[in-house]
Structure formats: C-alpha cells, structure tokens
Amino acid sequence: MSGFRFNLVVIMALMLASVQFHGTAAQTTHVVGDALGWNVPPTGPSAYITWASSQTFRVGDVLLFNFTTGFHNVAEVSQAAYGPCTTANPISIVTTGPVRLTLNAPGTHYYVCTVGTHCQIGQKLTINVSAASATPPPALAPTTPAPLIPPTATPTPTPSTTTPPPTFSPAPSSEEASPVSPPTFGQSPSGGNAPSPTESTTLPQPSPSFAPSFTAVAPYTFLAIALAFFY
C-alpha cells in the first residue's frame, strides 16, 4: 500500500512538472505587422522584414494575421515559390480573417497573400522558428512516504449487564388485609364444630339430695298445726 502511495506521489509530481513546463514554455502570440496588420505595406517588402527582425519565434507560438475577409488571404508557400511570388500549389491557404497559425515546426517559414499582385508589392513574410526551449523544472527530491496509520477503531458500546435493583412493593396494611369470613354455624372460629342453633342443649341434672323435698314435708306440717289448734 505504501509503494502504491509513493508511485501516486511520483505520478502527480510528474504531471505538475509537465504543467509547469508548459506554463514556462507558454505560447506567444505575434500580431503580424502590429498596427499595420496583414495588408499591402505602403513602404514595400521592408515593412515585414523589419517587423520580423524584432521578434523571436519558437515552436508553439502563434502568428495572428489581421485582415478583412475577401480583401486578403494567408498562404504558406515553399522557398522556391516565395521569391517569384508563385501562388500555385501553396502548402496551405486560409481566406477568412483574422487567421491564427500555430508554429508547429522549427525552421524557416514563408507566407504570402495570393490576391492580385499583393505579394509582388510587398505583402509577404519570412520568419525563422527555433525549437521550443524552456528552463527544465527543478528535480524533485525523493520523498519518504508517510507510514500508513490505520484508523482508530471506535469502541462499540456493550450493553450493560447490571441487574436492576429489585422493586419492593409496600406490604398491605391491616385495613387492606383480606377480610376474615365469619364463621358459619356448625363450625367454630378455630376450625372446630359448633352446635347448631336447632340442636337442644341438655342441661346437667342436679345430684340427688337426701334432704326431704319442701313439697313433701309441707302437708304434714300444716296438718300438725291444724290439729293443735282444735285441741
């Protein structure tokens, strides 16, 4: 994994260096003739010779030909056709202005206008293009890839296994206690059998006494008193 990251860093560095290289070798746009543009020069061929001598052309630069469509064109021709202004079989030709031509190869390039006698009276251009040169980007010092640090795992909370304290219900008061069913006849409160109200209770009989009963002695007493009264 670390080797992959190092290779990725190197690739990105090379891409950045390439961008910097192109930025350093940024194309330059050359406006042909400057204010004169691409027209028949009033001073003859010397106008474009003087302009070209003040420029530095490199591969990748752009030539901008400013002209009005229908009045001029831009044709690239060979050296042999350039001198006598031979307009037959040009290397390339563009008739719609303005024209932007990118310089793709080093060497000497020749451009003329093929309209009428414009080339013969001085509407022609010769330039020398050098290879693109740019200051190479500084060498990148090798960097040591940073060690991979695994992401810190977030601990998963475990459910608590603590048993909740028991819940005590208040004991019922004496008033809330279950009522005691009243005893039914034939059963005593302690669980024994009680006599039914319909049953007769036999009272214990008194022990026999040897004293004479009042009802048995009373007649003799009254009889003795009556006889004593008459006599």
Side-chain angles (χ1 to χ4, degrees):
M1 184 64 181
S2 59
F4 174 77
R5 289 187 60 185
F6 179 77
N7 293 336
L8 182 61
V9 170
V10 172
I11 293 174
M12 293 181 65
L14 292 176
M15 293 176 64
L16 180 60
S18 177
V19 171
Q20 291 178 347
F21 175 80
H22 287 290
T24 304
Q27 58 183 220
T28 300
T29 300
H30 305 271
V31 180
V32 176
D34 291 334
L36 174 62
W38 184 240
N39 290 295
V40 176
T43 59
S46 62
Y48 290 110
I49 295 173
T50 302
W51 176 83
S53 64
S54 65
Q55 307 291 319
T56 301
F57 304 97
R58 292 188 176 90
V59 172
D61 288 354
V62 175
L63 293 179
L64 176 58
F65 294 84
N66 286 321
F67 64 91
T68 303
T69 302
F71 291 90
H72 306 282
N73 59 32
V74 178
E76 184 175 1
V77 296
S78 64
Q79 181 181 8
Y82 181 79
C85 289
T86 301
T87 58
N89 301 319
I91 298 173
S92 65
I93 184 170
V94 182
T95 60
T96 303
V99 174
R100 296 176 62 90
L101 296 179
T102 301
L103 303 175
N104 296 320
T108 304
H109 296 263
Y110 305 92
Y111 303 95
V112 299
C113 178
T114 64
V115 176
T117 60
H118 293 181
C119 178
Q120 286 81 356
I121 58 181
Q123 191 174 357
K124 56 196 305 186
L125 172 67
T126 303
I127 63 173
N128 293 314
V129 180
S130 60
S133 61
T135 303
L140 297 176
T143 57
T144 303
L148 293 178
I149 300 176
T152 303
T154 303
T156 304
T158 56
S160 176
T161 57
T162 304
T163 305
T167 303
F168 295 97
S169 301
S173 62
S174 58
E175 295 179 355
E176 296 177 353
S178 300
V180 178
S181 301
T184 57
F185 291 103
Q187 183 177 4
S188 64
S190 61
N193 292 328
S196 175
T198 55
E199 297 177 359
S200 60
T201 303
T202 305
L203 298 178
Q205 299 295 327
S207 301
S209 175
F210 293 98
S213 175
F214 175 77
T215 54
V217 174
Y220 296 103
T221 302
F222 286 116
L223 180 59
I225 292 173
L227 290 177
F229 181 77
F230 286 111
Y231 290 103

